[in-house]
Amino acid sequence: MKRLLPILVVFLAVFSCREPASVEVFVPAPGPYTFTVDMQDSTAVYDFDLYTRIDAADVPVQMQLVLRWTSPSDSVYRESVYMPLDGRDVYVPYRSGVQPYECGLWELTVAVPSAPEGLRGMGLVTRKTVLSTGSD
């Protein structure tokens, strides 16, 4: 038993150092909502989902979001999207298979020009998938 304990400790240490499959961040209201997005791995693609909660009796059908991506070299990219609201708890895919032209820490700022009453904040889920190198 005494020989097994050091092996178990090493085993747990190795597997506890793994990078998580996804990162989830929630920023409470009021906005704008700013997220630091780690896209430093040039061998990966990234998927993004947005989520929120609205504590109000009357939830609108959709909500406009103005997104501003700032690259590590301070280039800025803007877009406007509409988040469908089909209840109080909303979780929607935003982008998938994103492979940034510039690796590093990006900043995503989400503004909600006409925030509905009861908007609790905005969340971002980032999933990273490492591409196969073909050397397997």
Side-chain angles (χ1 to χ4, degrees):
M1 183 68 171
K2 288 184 179 182
R3 292 182 197 175
L4 185 59
L5 187 59
I7 294 171
L8 183 60
V9 169
V10 170
F11 179 79
L12 290 174
V14 168
F15 286 102
S16 67
C17 294
R18 282 191 154 169
E19 184 177 8
S22 66
V23 175
E24 181 176 322
V25 178
F26 185 81
V27 178
Y33 309 97
T34 301
F35 306 92
T36 299
V37 182
D38 183 350
M39 292 193 282
Q40 297 183 78
D41 189 345
S42 64
T43 66
V45 294
Y46 301 87
D47 298 332
F48 303 104
D49 298 329
L50 295 167
Y51 66 96
T52 191
R53 178 172 175 87
I54 301 173
D55 289 333
D58 190 23
V59 177
V61 175
Q62 64 183 5
M63 177 172 64
Q64 180 185 16
L65 306 176
V66 178
L67 297 103
R68 186 183 81 202
W69 286 94
T70 305
S71 75
S73 64
D74 287 330
S75 295
V76 175
Y77 305 90
R78 288 184 174 86
E79 70 176 321
S80 182
V81 299
Y82 288 85
M83 176 183 247
L85 304 174
D86 57 359
R88 292 176 181 231
D89 294 311
V90 182
Y91 188 100
V92 295
Y94 165 54
R95 294 271 179 244
S96 63
V98 174
Q99 191 169 18
Y101 73 90
E102 182 179 347
C103 295
L105 296 177
W106 286 66
E107 182 178 273
L108 171 62
T109 301
V110 179
V112 184
S114 298
E117 184 179 326
L119 181 67
R120 299 294 300 234
M122 188 65 57
L124 177 71
V125 177
T126 304
R127 283 183 309 284
K128 172 181 155 181
T129 304
V130 177
L131 301 172
S132 173
T133 59
S135 62
D136 296 325

